[in-house]
Amino acid sequence: MGAGIGGLTAALALSARGHDVTLIERRTAFSEVGAGLQLSPNASRVLADLGLGPALRRAAGEPARVCIRGLASGRQIGEVALGRAMRERFGAPYWVIHRADLQTILLDAARGRPGIRLLVGRAVTGLSEDGAGVALTLESGSGRIETAAADLAVVADGVRSALRARLDRRRLRALYQAAWRATVPREAAPPALRGDETGLWLGPGRHVVHYPIAGGRTINLVAVMPEDGGSEEWGAPGDPSRLRAAFADAAPPLAALLGLPESWLVWSLVDRPAARPMARGRVALLGDSAHPVLPFLAQGAALAIEDAAVLAGALAGGQPVPAALARYAADRAERVRTIQAHARRNGRLYHAGALVSAARDAVMGRLGPARMTERYAWLYGWRPLGSA
Ligand SMILES: Cc1cc2nc3c(=O)[nH]c(=O)nc-3n(C[C@H](O)[C@H](O)[C@H](O)COP(=O)(O)OP(=O)(O)OC[C@H]3O[C@@H](n4cnc5c(N)ncnc54)[C@H](O)[C@@H]3O)c2cc1C
């Protein structure tokens, strides 16, 4: 259940292994916000293996590098090699893509597979299980109730998952930081920031990421800054003047870029430990419902995509469903916790104050582009067990 990036990839991976899948989605329309997504080689490899490589290559960009700068000084701190360096080192590209383009590619692929039945406009409101299978209760917007039965249920209903509590009752924790997202036409950006690269600007308590998406026509902007309250609403409109005030000290080209969007959407950042366990009996959690990842490592969707590949592999071995799902949960446990921890640590490093940031900048500067990439070999070099 849930036709986000995780649910759609899981449906494709399971159907590729010969399973019949019913994908249940609460929304009626698949309008993704105008924002971008980074797809690192650990995820792009899985999607390419599902036959989506050509479509993704047409829609995605492949920036040559990440240029890391001081938010206020504008001084270059370090560089991470992407583009060809990533492909040659990890055998798969580091793509950046418009979320809507990725969603469309996944959805078109799912619609083209006879083994996948897509039920939209139905929220899963109940789930019960016995020795033989699972029974789901579905409710449409008009209040109509339906039931569906299956051998197993994959819960991929996102960070605010209603059904995760069946396996793990720990609550979401507000981070009191928010990610503001916007897009601007590339030709409107300051010339220094129009290049084919990802920009990462670090300052105390704040950072900004930008990269070109939509065939290079648009620049995707993400600015993370402190917030007081924390909103339940995911992607609420934000007041551009608040954003500009929070980044008033930004270096001139960054300030000019941040001044361009007329509208911003705001995501209050939340965290929660990975579910223990990620699966029990005939129910498995997948993606953000199992393990939300703070956006400081760009790995939330990537992990959901990895989950999908591992789940399909675990279910291919002919074991009884509960044993296969237990194998999936065991395979994922350490990796998802490690990545969650790295994302938290990156957040602390990105937003560090004077002392720690001086040490951070010195290390990044000394390492150089290739070694900065190599530090993440454990992350980007990942392959599902049993893959070539
Ligand atoms: C600012 C920001 C930047 C990010 N950047 C990156 C990045 O660069 N790279 C990256 O890999 N990740 C990134 N992420 C994370 C990424 O967006 C998420 O991790 C990813 O979308 C999770 O996918 P999912 O399928 O688990 O959940 P979702 O995409 O949230 O999908 C859940 C789906 O379930 C549906 N649903 C919910 N409840 C029900 C129900 N009861 N019944 C039926 N359907 C239901 C929802 O409508 C939705 O379609 C970022 C996140 C943020 C906030």
Side-chain angles (χ1 to χ4, degrees), residues 53-74:
L56 285 166
R57 241 187 315 280
R58 280 194 295 277
E62 215 181 334
R65 61 181 193 143
V66 183
C67 180
I68 309 170
R69 300 180 183 90
L71 195 146
S73 68

mmCIF file of all heavy atoms in Angstrom, residues 53-74:
data_model
loop_
_atom_site.group_PDB
_atom_site.id
_atom_site.type_symbol
_atom_site.label_atom_id
_atom_site.label_comp_id
_atom_site.label_asym_id
_atom_site.label_seq_id
_atom_site.Cartn_x
_atom_site.Cartn_y
_atom_site.Cartn_z
ATOM 1 N N GLY A 53 16.283 2.317 -17.113
ATOM 2 C CA GLY A 53 17.461 3.122 -17.442
ATOM 3 C C GLY A 53 17.230 4.106 -18.579
ATOM 4 O O GLY A 53 17.471 5.307 -18.424
ATOM 5 N N PRO A 54 16.748 3.646 -19.756
ATOM 6 C CA PRO A 54 16.603 4.579 -20.890
ATOM 7 C C PRO A 54 15.663 5.745 -20.562
ATOM 8 O O PRO A 54 15.975 6.899 -20.860
ATOM 9 C CB PRO A 54 16.036 3.684 -22.005
ATOM 10 C CG PRO A 54 16.501 2.301 -21.640
ATOM 11 C CD PRO A 54 16.514 2.241 -20.139
ATOM 12 N N ALA A 55 14.525 5.460 -19.937
ATOM 13 C CA ALA A 55 13.571 6.546 -19.623
ATOM 14 C C ALA A 55 14.190 7.509 -18.617
ATOM 15 O O ALA A 55 14.051 8.734 -18.736
ATOM 16 C CB ALA A 55 12.281 5.953 -19.056
ATOM 17 N N LEU A 56 14.905 6.973 -17.626
ATOM 18 C CA LEU A 56 15.515 7.847 -16.616
ATOM 19 C C LEU A 56 16.617 8.692 -17.236
ATOM 20 O O LEU A 56 16.743 9.876 -16.928
ATOM 21 C CB LEU A 56 16.061 7.000 -15.465
ATOM 22 C CG LEU A 56 14.974 6.452 -14.529
ATOM 23 C CD1 LEU A 56 15.537 5.364 -13.630
ATOM 24 C CD2 LEU A 56 14.388 7.576 -13.687
ATOM 25 N N ARG A 57 17.404 8.075 -18.114
ATOM 26 C CA ARG A 57 18.501 8.827 -18.740
ATOM 27 C C ARG A 57 17.959 10.028 -19.523
ATOM 28 O O ARG A 57 18.548 11.092 -19.530
ATOM 29 C CB ARG A 57 19.292 7.905 -19.691
ATOM 30 C CG ARG A 57 20.750 7.761 -19.265
ATOM 31 C CD ARG A 57 21.584 6.997 -20.270
ATOM 32 N NE ARG A 57 20.966 5.794 -20.793
ATOM 33 C CZ ARG A 57 20.930 4.624 -20.172
ATOM 34 N NH1 ARG A 57 21.479 4.490 -18.983
ATOM 35 N NH2 ARG A 57 20.355 3.580 -20.722
ATOM 36 N N ARG A 58 16.795 9.829 -20.158
ATOM 37 C CA ARG A 58 16.216 10.946 -20.931
ATOM 38 C C ARG A 58 15.755 12.069 -20.002
ATOM 39 O O ARG A 58 15.871 13.244 -20.334
ATOM 40 C CB ARG A 58 15.016 10.440 -21.760
ATOM 41 C CG ARG A 58 15.431 9.731 -23.040
ATOM 42 C CD ARG A 58 14.246 9.551 -23.982
ATOM 43 N NE ARG A 58 13.210 8.664 -23.428
ATOM 44 C CZ ARG A 58 13.241 7.341 -23.493
ATOM 45 N NH1 ARG A 58 14.236 6.733 -24.104
ATOM 46 N NH2 ARG A 58 12.276 6.615 -22.967
ATOM 47 N N ALA A 59 15.251 11.707 -18.826
ATOM 48 C CA ALA A 59 14.644 12.725 -17.953
ATOM 49 C C ALA A 59 15.624 13.321 -16.949
ATOM 50 O O ALA A 59 15.424 14.442 -16.483
ATOM 51 C CB ALA A 59 13.473 12.095 -17.196
ATOM 52 N N ALA A 60 16.670 12.566 -16.619
ATOM 53 C CA ALA A 60 17.526 12.985 -15.501
ATOM 54 C C ALA A 60 18.738 13.752 -15.990
ATOM 55 O O ALA A 60 19.104 13.704 -17.164
ATOM 56 C CB ALA A 60 17.993 11.750 -14.724
ATOM 57 N N GLY A 61 19.371 14.471 -15.075
ATOM 58 C CA GLY A 61 20.647 15.113 -15.350
ATOM 59 C C GLY A 61 21.729 14.403 -14.554
ATOM 60 O O GLY A 61 21.436 13.647 -13.616
ATOM 61 N N GLU A 62 22.975 14.656 -14.937
ATOM 62 C CA GLU A 62 24.093 14.005 -14.263
ATOM 63 C C GLU A 62 25.155 15.053 -13.967
ATOM 64 O O GLU A 62 26.115 15.215 -14.737
ATOM 65 C CB GLU A 62 24.642 12.910 -15.195
ATOM 66 C CG GLU A 62 25.133 11.702 -14.474
ATOM 67 C CD GLU A 62 25.696 10.664 -15.444
ATOM 68 O OE1 GLU A 62 25.285 10.640 -16.607
ATOM 69 O OE2 GLU A 62 26.570 9.910 -15.004
ATOM 70 N N PRO A 63 24.996 15.827 -12.883
ATOM 71 C CA PRO A 63 25.954 16.913 -12.612
ATOM 72 C C PRO A 63 27.373 16.376 -12.494
ATOM 73 O O PRO A 63 27.584 15.233 -12.063
ATOM 74 C CB PRO A 63 25.497 17.490 -11.275
ATOM 75 C CG PRO A 63 24.202 16.846 -10.959
ATOM 76 C CD PRO A 63 24.029 15.648 -11.819
ATOM 77 N N ALA A 64 28.326 17.215 -12.891
ATOM 78 C CA ALA A 64 29.727 16.783 -12.902
ATOM 79 C C ALA A 64 30.316 16.733 -11.495
ATOM 80 O O ALA A 64 31.249 15.981 -11.231
ATOM 81 C CB ALA A 64 30.536 17.732 -13.766
ATOM 82 N N ARG A 65 29.801 17.540 -10.584
ATOM 83 C CA ARG A 65 30.401 17.585 -9.246
ATOM 84 C C ARG A 65 29.459 18.272 -8.273
ATOM 85 O O ARG A 65 28.499 18.930 -8.681
ATOM 86 C CB ARG A 65 31.710 18.375 -9.303
ATOM 87 C CG ARG A 65 31.493 19.810 -9.754
ATOM 88 C CD ARG A 65 32.775 20.594 -9.830
ATOM 89 N NE ARG A 65 32.461 22.020 -9.959
ATOM 90 C CZ ARG A 65 33.142 23.000 -9.409
ATOM 91 N NH1 ARG A 65 34.192 22.729 -8.676
ATOM 92 N NH2 ARG A 65 32.787 24.258 -9.557
ATOM 93 N N VAL A 66 29.777 18.121 -6.978
ATOM 94 C CA VAL A 66 29.139 18.947 -5.948
ATOM 95 C C VAL A 66 30.184 19.966 -5.534
ATOM 96 O O VAL A 66 31.307 19.601 -5.175
ATOM 97 C CB VAL A 66 28.760 18.132 -4.686
ATOM 98 C CG1 VAL A 66 28.034 19.035 -3.676
ATOM 99 C CG2 VAL A 66 27.934 16.917 -5.016
ATOM 100 N N CYS A 67 29.824 21.231 -5.611
ATOM 101 C CA CYS A 67 30.733 22.282 -5.180
ATOM 102 C C CYS A 67 30.258 22.763 -3.798
ATOM 103 O O CYS A 67 29.127 23.232 -3.665
ATOM 104 C CB CYS A 67 30.705 23.405 -6.194
ATOM 105 S SG CYS A 67 31.816 24.720 -5.718
ATOM 106 N N ILE A 68 31.111 22.584 -2.780
ATOM 107 C CA ILE A 68 30.718 22.923 -1.406
ATOM 108 C C ILE A 68 31.323 24.282 -1.062
ATOM 109 O O ILE A 68 32.543 24.481 -1.198
ATOM 110 C CB ILE A 68 31.214 21.845 -0.416
ATOM 111 C CG1 ILE A 68 30.794 20.451 -0.906
ATOM 112 C CG2 ILE A 68 30.679 22.115 0.990
ATOM 113 C CD1 ILE A 68 31.438 19.312 -0.150
ATOM 114 N N ARG A 69 30.469 25.208 -0.637
ATOM 115 C CA ARG A 69 30.952 26.566 -0.346
ATOM 116 C C ARG A 69 30.455 27.028 1.021
ATOM 117 O O ARG A 69 29.449 26.522 1.539
ATOM 118 C CB ARG A 69 30.423 27.560 -1.384
ATOM 119 C CG ARG A 69 30.807 27.292 -2.820
ATOM 120 C CD ARG A 69 30.196 28.385 -3.688
ATOM 121 N NE ARG A 69 30.427 28.215 -5.107
ATOM 122 C CZ ARG A 69 29.621 27.552 -5.924
ATOM 123 N NH1 ARG A 69 28.552 26.953 -5.464
ATOM 124 N NH2 ARG A 69 29.883 27.492 -7.222
ATOM 125 N N GLY A 70 31.139 28.022 1.561
ATOM 126 C CA GLY A 70 30.672 28.680 2.776
ATOM 127 C C GLY A 70 29.476 29.548 2.432
ATOM 128 O O GLY A 70 29.504 30.280 1.437
ATOM 129 N N LEU A 71 28.423 29.444 3.236
ATOM 130 C CA LEU A 71 27.168 30.135 2.918
ATOM 131 C C LEU A 71 27.344 31.652 2.882
ATOM 132 O O LEU A 71 26.838 32.324 1.986
ATOM 133 C CB LEU A 71 26.145 29.728 3.988
ATOM 134 C CG LEU A 71 24.679 30.002 3.752
ATOM 135 C CD1 LEU A 71 23.860 28.903 4.387
ATOM 136 C CD2 LEU A 71 24.255 31.342 4.291
ATOM 137 N N ALA A 72 28.081 32.195 3.857
ATOM 138 C CA ALA A 72 28.243 33.648 3.913
ATOM 139 C C ALA A 72 29.473 34.108 3.124
ATOM 140 O O ALA A 72 29.429 35.112 2.415
ATOM 141 C CB ALA A 72 28.355 34.103 5.369
ATOM 142 N N SER A 73 30.555 33.338 3.196
ATOM 143 C CA SER A 73 31.796 33.784 2.550
ATOM 144 C C SER A 73 31.768 33.525 1.042
ATOM 145 O O SER A 73 32.429 34.215 0.275
ATOM 146 C CB SER A 73 32.997 33.032 3.148
ATOM 147 O OG SER A 73 32.922 31.660 2.780
ATOM 148 N N GLY A 74 31.039 32.506 0.617
ATOM 149 C CA GLY A 74 31.037 32.114 -0.788
ATOM 150 C C GLY A 74 32.310 31.381 -1.193
ATOM 151 O O GLY A 74 32.469 30.951 -2.326
#
